[in-house]
Amino acid sequence: MADLVRPEVHISDGLGKRLGSLTTQSSVNRAWVLLQPAQGGVQLALSDPMFKHLDPALGNAVAIVSPHYPVPWLGAITDRDEDHAGGTARLTLLSLDAVLRDRYLDSPASYSGSAGAIFRSLLSDANGANDSGIAIAKDVAAGIAFETAVAFPDAQVYAALNALARDSGHEWWVEYDVQPSGIRAVAHYQPARGFNRYAAVRLTDGGNCDVMECAKRLGGMPFALRVVAGQTSPTQKYTERSRVTRQFSSKVAPGADVVVGASVIVHGSEVEHSELSGSPLTRRQAVVVAEHLRSKGAIHAASLARLGRPSGAERVLKVRVYPNDDLWAQLDVGSKVHFVSHRAFGGCDVPVRIVAVHPMEELGDCILTLQVLKG
């Protein structure tokens, strides 16, 4: 890998027209996080010619492009802190998809049909009321056969999209194209974000990466599980999190009360932690069994009847990947890769999913949050 070069930082107006680029940027960082907006930050000199365009009230977009990590990042300025003694300013950024947290659907906001068509309608309605600047990928409805009927009256658009993804077992995200002529944001909706890179990418602890942290807990690592499953509190059950989905074994979707497995299948592997075993029992049948056991004093058995077969603990890792342009280019959020360590969890050779990416070129690190998969 050649000497690490700082990412370029470009400023565009609200219509995507480039206003210019920073010339004094430092401490540039940003992240990609599965299923939620992510933060970034940039430091610059107060004397930078672009400083006048960096007032958060202007609504200008900040694009970060790197020769070492090829995925562009696009966000808005939420805070600008000035240090006049040091002659610098620090920008706090939030990825552009967060704008959908400030868009709301009108009543009744009811939809029916395939999940892909509903996704298109949700974003179209949101943009019709107040354009978000996020377009919809042309193939967003392709291959999505899940039929449903939903209503999101007065709902936050981001929350509605997450709910739709949860019910259909899909994921959505926004990708950015950054060009001198302008910027473009496009929303995607597919079975899973990222790619199956298990055969092509091998992360070896002590080789091309180092383990920084690992956790094995039934409750999981709260931050990482919030990323993966939409956890709203550390005590929230896994089956109540927004990313937990039903996986259907037939082309005909069962009724809403059918429990056919709450674990997520991503790129051919199952998320390791699951509280439901894939029982064909309906929720009503499970309740009948559980209440019968409870009446006999078998409280623990009753709990298992409600939850299904409990599985092992969730395993989450934080890993530092050393500079390597070819490797970094394949570390896209959502992808499945191969991970080997003689230290983590007493030694492991497992498939993992990248749930967060944080490249820091100036330090020579790319920090990953990984979730262990079954396989």
Side-chain angles (χ1 to χ4, degrees):
M1 189 179 205
D3 291 339
L4 286 164
V5 177
R6 290 176 182 172
E8 299 173 358
V9 181
H10 308 295
I11 312 301
S12 300
D13 65 16
L15 299 176
K17 178 183 176 182
R18 184 172 294 182
L19 300 173
S21 304
L22 299 186
T23 56
T24 62
Q25 73 271 24
S26 63
S27 301
V28 180
N29 73 86
R30 72 284 189 210
W32 288 259
V33 182
L34 193 66
L35 301 169
Q36 69 176 33
Q39 287 192 324
V42 178
Q43 183 169 292
L44 68 150
L46 293 172
S47 59
D48 194 295
M50 292 302 296
F51 181 75
K52 63 182 180 181
H53 298 290
L54 303 179
D55 185 337
L58 295 175
N60 290 334
V62 177
I64 300 175
V65 180
S66 169
H68 304 297
Y69 189 75
V71 183
W73 191 94
L74 188 65
I77 304 168
T78 61
D79 299 283
R80 186 185 73 186
D81 297 296
E82 302 175 24
D83 176 8
H84 286 269
T88 62
R90 180 73 188 174
L91 305 179
T92 301
L93 312 171
L94 188 61
S95 56
L96 184 64
D97 53 315
V99 70
L100 296 175
R101 290 178 169 179
D102 296 319
R103 300 291 187 271
Y104 291 83
L105 298 166
D106 293 330
S107 294
S110 57
Y111 307 88
S112 62
S114 74
I118 294 173
F119 182 90
R120 297 185 69 92
S121 296
L122 279 170
L123 264 184
S124 295
D125 289 352
N127 285 333
N130 189 346
D131 193 2
S132 67
I134 300 173
I136 307 169
K138 293 180 180 179
D139 63 347
V140 84
I144 301 177
F146 181 86
E147 298 284 327
T148 188
V150 293
F152 303 109
D154 302 315
Q156 181 194 74
V157 173
Y158 207 103
L161 294 175
N162 280 346
L164 181 66
R166 173 197 65 210
D167 290 342
S168 64
H170 287 63
E171 293 177 348
W172 72 278
W173 68 96
V174 179
E175 289 183 355
Y176 308 110
D177 182 32
V178 178
Q179 303 293 336
S181 57
I183 56 178
R184 187 164 184 261
V186 179
H188 296 264
Y189 184 66
Q190 298 295 335
R193 184 175 182 175
F195 304 92
N196 186 350
R197 300 192 187 278
Y198 182 82
V201 177
R202 180 185 173 106
L203 298 176
T204 303
D205 183 21
N208 56 9
C209 71
D210 273 333
V211 170
M212 300 170 67
E213 301 173 12
C214 61
K216 184 176 182 180
R217 305 169 188 150
L218 287 174
M221 183 183 291
F223 167 75
L225 296 187
R226 182 182 177 89
V227 170
V228 174
Q231 185 184 29
T232 55
S233 76
T235 59
Q236 187 182 27
K237 293 180 180 178
Y238 192 81
T239 46
E240 294 174 353
R241 300 174 197 169
S242 62
R243 181 61 190 102
V244 175
T245 60
R246 293 185 298 272
Q247 300 296 326
F248 301 122
S249 57
S250 66
K251 294 183 179 179
V252 179
D257 63 345
V258 175
V259 177
V260 289
S263 57
V264 181
I265 305 298
V266 290
H267 306 305
S269 294
E270 183 180 352
V271 173
E272 186 175 74
H273 182 79
S274 172
E275 285 176 343
L276 292 179
S277 62
S279 167
L281 290 177
T282 66
R283 296 185 191 279
R284 285 189 294 271
Q285 291 169 334
V287 168
V288 170
V289 173
E291 287 303 302
H292 173 74
L293 292 170
R294 189 176 65 83
S295 69
K296 300 296 183 182
I299 304 301
H300 180 67
S303 298
L304 294 182
R306 291 296 302 270
L307 292 176
R309 175 180 54 81
S311 68
E314 180 122 22
R315 292 186 287 173
V316 182
L317 298 135
K318 190 174 183 181
V319 173
R320 175 189 292 112
V321 181
Y322 298 130
N324 182 319
D325 277 354
D326 293 336
L327 177 57
W328 283 22
Q330 300 183 82
L331 301 179
D332 29 19
V333 69
S335 289
K336 169 185 167 183
V337 300
H338 189 176
F339 176 76
V340 179
S341 174
H342 65 283
R343 299 183 299 166
F345 309 119
C348 60
D349 185 336
V350 291
V352 294
R353 191 180 195 200
I354 301 171
V355 297
V357 182
H358 185 189
M360 296 183 291
E361 289 86 345
E362 291 169 72
L363 298 178
D365 294 329
C366 185
I367 308 300
L368 305 178
T369 300
L370 306 173
Q371 182 187 40
V372 176
L373 304 174
K374 292 182 179 179

